[in-house]
Amino acid sequence: MSAALAMVVDMGWIDPVDVYALPPRLSDPETRVVWAGAFEHSGDTRWELFDAEVQATSLALDRCDALEIENSTLDGVTFAGQPMPRVSASRTVLINCDLSGARFDSLRNVRFVDCKLVGADFAAAQLVDVSFERCVLRIVNFRMVKLRRVQFVDCTLFDVDALDLDAEDVAFSGSDLEKVNIDRLRARRVDLRGARRLGLERVGSLSGCLIEDRQLAPLNFALAFAAGLDIERSAG
């Protein structure tokens, strides 16, 4: 362990550090064309969006089972479909998009900026080098998701089911976490210090996570229940 992360093992204290979780490795897309309104099809139900800039439109995805986005910028775009396709994206930026109900398989080198992700489904997805900035994630499925170098900046995470989450190098700067289920969390370098709220549920272990001492009070009950402690409510 490096000197910057020197730890007193028996106490769990760690000296102040600026960087605990490694940040995402992000690069901007280099789009070549303005989207003309038609997808490339690889088979009848697998659609592709490559090297494109897409502005202020609604994407009708009803007949699509899988959508692959690569090296593209989407600004003011709404995903519409019933059911939604499984989405994979790489080297892509999504700005001010409504992705409510979207289903994600794989994200690599992707930025979400000012996006709405209500009811989004990331179940069993792999997110590598991903940044969520000022995004709203409500009633989101993060079950069995693998996170590698992912950051949530000034985001709202409410009613998030993150059962069996595998998280490495993840940070929550300026974000609110409320009703976030982290049962069976496996964490390595998860930085919770910058979170404004820590509403964690079903806490089994926070090994591999870092908080500030001032954040202990909101976690008191979650940690007590995790330790198997019964607590009597005060009369009145």
Side-chain angles (χ1 to χ4, degrees):
M1 183 176 296
S2 67
L5 295 179
M7 181 183 298
V8 182
V9 176
D10 59 341
M11 292 292 291
W13 291 99
I14 185 171
D15 292 331
V17 294
D18 292 329
V19 178
Y20 182 70
L22 296 176
R25 301 167 184 167
L26 299 169
S27 56
D28 292 331
E30 298 177 0
T31 59
R32 300 177 194 160
V33 297
V34 176
W35 189 60
F39 289 97
E40 295 292 330
H41 288 213
S42 177
D44 292 338
T45 60
R46 185 173 185 84
W47 298 1
E48 298 173 348
L49 181 65
F50 292 172
D51 310 322
E53 180 179 334
V54 185
Q55 293 283 342
T57 189
S58 179
L59 299 182
L61 303 170
D62 298 274
R63 295 179 293 108
C64 177
D65 287 337
L67 174 62
E68 184 176 357
I69 306 171
E70 183 178 312
N71 191 42
S72 295
T73 299
L74 284 68
D75 192 342
V77 171
T78 297
F79 282 16
Q82 193 60 250
M84 285 284 196
R86 300 298 300 189
V87 178
S88 299
S90 61
R91 198 178 185 187
T92 290
V93 177
L94 300 102
I95 305 168
N96 197 29
C97 292
D98 188 346
L99 308 170
S100 297
R103 301 189 300 158
F104 296 95
D105 266 345
S106 173
L107 299 172
R108 184 179 294 270
N109 191 358
V110 175
R111 288 181 65 210
F112 295 87
V113 182
D114 297 312
C115 289
K116 182 179 179 182
L117 295 116
V118 176
D121 184 0
F122 294 84
Q126 294 194 24
L127 281 64
V128 181
D129 296 315
V130 176
S131 178
F132 295 90
E133 302 163 30
R134 299 181 302 279
C135 293
V136 176
L137 299 97
R138 290 179 176 266
I139 320 174
V140 170
N141 184 359
F142 258 93
R143 284 188 165 221
M144 298 179 290
V145 170
K146 180 181 288 187
L147 304 179
R148 296 293 184 269
R149 295 183 302 277
V150 175
Q151 65 181 7
F152 298 85
V153 181
D154 298 329
C155 291
T156 297
L157 295 93
F158 180 83
D159 200 0
V160 175
D161 186 355
L163 172 72
D164 210 10
L165 180 70
D166 185 347
E168 182 175 312
D169 292 310
V170 179
F172 294 89
S173 176
S175 294
D176 292 317
L177 287 73
E178 189 70 23
K179 295 181 65 177
V180 178
N181 171 18
I182 58 167
D183 194 16
R184 302 210 297 261
L185 171 68
R186 299 185 305 284
R188 292 165 300 284
R189 295 184 303 279
V190 171
D191 194 345
L192 295 165
R193 290 175 298 173
R196 287 192 300 253
R197 296 185 58 134
L198 278 179
L200 304 178
E201 296 184 343
R202 298 187 181 275
V203 177
S205 170
L206 289 175
S207 176
C209 299
L210 176 64
I211 64 170
E212 296 179 80
D213 52 5
R214 64 176 180 82
Q215 294 174 298
L216 274 175
L219 290 173
N220 279 345
F221 285 103
L223 294 173
F225 294 142
L229 182 66
D230 291 328
I231 303 175
E232 180 182 353
R233 295 185 187 275
S234 300

